Amino acid sequence: MTIELDHTIVPSRSQVKSAKLLSELLGVAWAEKSVGPFSPVYINCGLTLDFQETEEDFPIYHFCFRVTEAEFDAILERIKAAGIEYRSMLRGSMDMQVNTEFGGRLIYWNEPDGHQWEMLTVSYARQER
C-alpha cells in the first residue's frame, strides 16, 4: 500500500477568509463549511487542507506546493494581483523576486495568520525518480 497524506488541519483566526484566499491564489476549490467545523481547501484529488478557527495559540506552519511552470505563472500573477508580498528565500525581506537556484522556480509568502506558503516547480527536497 502506498501511504498518502489525505488532509491536515490548519489553525486560523479567520478560517473562511484564509481558506478562501488560498483557494483563490492556487486556483483550487474550497468550501465555506464541510463535514465538521472546517473550511476545507481541496489542493488536489488526494489532499485537503482543513482550516479550523481557534483562539488558542498555534505554531506557524509551512506548506510547499509543487506546481507546473504554467501553474507557477498563473499563481504568481494572482499573488501579484492580490497585492501580496513574496520573497525568494525562506527568511528575509519581501524582495518580490523568484528564486532559480535549484533548477526551477520558487517563492515564499505568508498568509494573514502567519503560515508560510512555498511554491516551486522543481523539488529540492527529493530527487526525481
Side-chain angles (χ1 to χ4, degrees), residues 4-25:
E4 296 179 357
L5 180 63
D6 181 79
H7 68 276
T8 190
I9 295 173
V10 182
S12 178
R13 298 286 179 238
S14 178
Q15 74 186 45
V16 170
K17 181 179 176 184
S18 293
K20 183 176 188 284
L21 177 61
L22 182 63
S23 72
E24 288 173 350
L25 293 175

Side-chain angles (χ1 to χ4, degrees), residues 21-106:
L21 177 61
L22 182 63
S23 72
E24 288 173 350
L25 293 175
L26 297 182
V28 298
W30 77 289
E32 188 169 326
K33 290 284 185 187
S34 184
V35 176
F38 307 111
S39 293
V41 176
Y42 306 106
I43 302 300
N44 57 42
C45 64
L47 177 61
T48 303
L49 297 183
D50 286 324
F51 285 79
Q52 182 179 32
E53 200 151 321
T54 182
E55 293 302 320
E56 297 175 2
D57 289 338
F58 55 81
I60 301 303
Y61 290 177
H62 174 95
F63 295 90
C64 179
F65 305 105
R66 187 172 19 179
V67 300
T68 66
E69 290 288 337
E71 290 166 330
F72 188 97
D73 291 338
I75 295 167
L76 183 55
E77 285 307 310
R78 289 191 288 268
I79 288 170
K80 289 176 180 179
I84 296 172
E85 294 184 330
Y86 59 93
R87 63 188 172 278
S88 59
M89 302 301 287
L90 178 62
R91 303 273 187 264
S93 66
M94 295 298 189
D95 60 9
M96 308 298 277
Q97 299 294 313
V98 175
N99 186 324
T100 58
E101 289 182 38
F102 302 103
R105 296 185 295 160
L106 69 90

